[in-house]
Amino acid sequence: MPHNALATLLPSLHNQRQLCLIGAAVIDIVTEAAALPVRGGDLEVTEKGLHIGGCALNIAIALKRLEIDSLNALPIGKGNWASLISRSLEQNGIASEIRTDKDDNGWCMALVEPDGERTFISVSGVENHWDQDILNGLPLADDALIYLSGYQLASPSGEQLVTWLESLPETVDTFIDFGPRIADVPDDIFQRLLALKPIVSLNRQEAEVLGMGCAETFTRQWYQQYQCPLILRIDSDGALFADANQTGNVSPFRATVVDTIGAGDSHAGGVLAGLASGWELPDAVLLGNAVASFVVSHRGGDCAPDREALSDYLSRY
């Protein structure tokens, strides 16, 4: 689809199926760093702000601004970080299905280098405490589309999350964005997940962890091996995709990169919005490319565009 045609599809964005987000709401402390620290060193950084983040929350915000409803399973705990997150959720008109007083929410420090690349130092909280009672209590539709992040799958609760997914009806679909924790997901968990035939989204670095050489070859061989739809985000080169119908390359949108925090999450939000609206995978990936391009042009991971801002952005193409 041409870039300028995407704007004509935006009015068709509306839920044709339930979206359920399983994941984290955390605090991001964003800093600018000239380079990453060395062992034993003392790195001076510049604080650029405190943002409410977490992969699932970034996606919930993107979906809300695109006027797509989601069932948000984002554990909110008790403590200073949880209080900040609760206020942010209220301001954004987002509700979470899960409240607990067992611990505070987690936080991370993001080190943003001059080229916009970000490195995280993370501290876990209630977002990685899952059990069957919590999961079984979610009011899930029989045809739901469930989002999961590698941060939760690599946590001690990862096995419980997979066991729960395995118990769901075959009409439920799963979308997995493994993220930078992909190498920490145990192999047996990884194989059980792929047996569920989820839609998988990877960036270039994550695919390299799985042995990628040529991106195009990797994408074709992935579907042949696993029969799972794949989205491979290749930065300024756009995104490759493969599903049962076709394999292709979805072109990128030009962007002046400010920082890349939340870029992958925002891409997932755009793709999920399209899929929940009944769009074909290439069209949903193009929407993901547009949303992510907008986000990397702004600071922080919680800056996804609403429909009006996105329409204005698309009008430049």
Side-chain angles (χ1 to χ4, degrees), residues 134-146:
I134 290 174
L135 294 166
N136 291 337
L138 295 174
L140 204 65
D142 287 342
D143 67 343
L145 174 58
I146 298 173

Side-chain angles (χ1 to χ4, degrees), residues 23-36:
V26 297
I27 299 293
D28 291 333
I29 302 172
V30 181
T31 67
E32 285 186 348
L36 296 182

Side-chain angles (χ1 to χ4, degrees), residues 109-190:
M109 176 175 287
L111 303 174
V112 182
E113 295 178 83
D115 65 355
E117 184 60 88
R118 82 286 182 271
T119 301
F120 294 127
I121 300 171
S122 301
V123 178
S124 289
V126 293
E127 67 280 354
N128 284 331
H129 299 170
W130 298 89
D131 59 47
Q132 294 304 307
D133 289 340
I134 290 174
L135 294 166
N136 291 337
L138 295 174
L140 204 65
D142 287 342
D143 67 343
L145 174 58
I146 298 173
Y147 160 86
L148 270 168
S149 164
Y151 281 95
Q152 278 63 63
L153 294 168
S155 77
S157 297
E159 198 279 335
Q160 292 185 11
L161 288 164
V162 177
T163 297
W164 173 68
L165 290 175
E166 292 170 336
S167 73
L168 298 176
E170 291 185 0
T171 48
V172 171
D173 290 320
T174 307
F175 180 104
I176 299 175
D177 188 346
F178 281 103
R181 291 287 175 87
I182 189 168
D184 300 324
V185 177
D187 185 64
D188 62 321
I189 296 294
F190 187 81

Side-chain angles (χ1 to χ4, degrees), residues 212-220:
M212 182 185 77
C214 169
E216 290 80 5
T217 301
F218 177 87
T219 303
R220 288 195 303 272

Side-chain angles (χ1 to χ4, degrees), residues 72-85:
N72 304 311
L74 317 175
I76 308 301
K78 185 175 183 180
N80 292 332
W81 297 137
S83 296
L84 288 173
I85 291 168

Side-chain angles (χ1 to χ4, degrees), residues 1-12 253 279 283 286-287 314-315 317:
M1 177 194 297
H3 286 168
N4 56 9
L6 180 58
T8 66
L9 264 183
L10 290 184
S12 70
F253 290 77
W279 292 14
D283 295 340
L286 185 61
L287 178 59
L314 293 173
S315 70
Y317 291 90

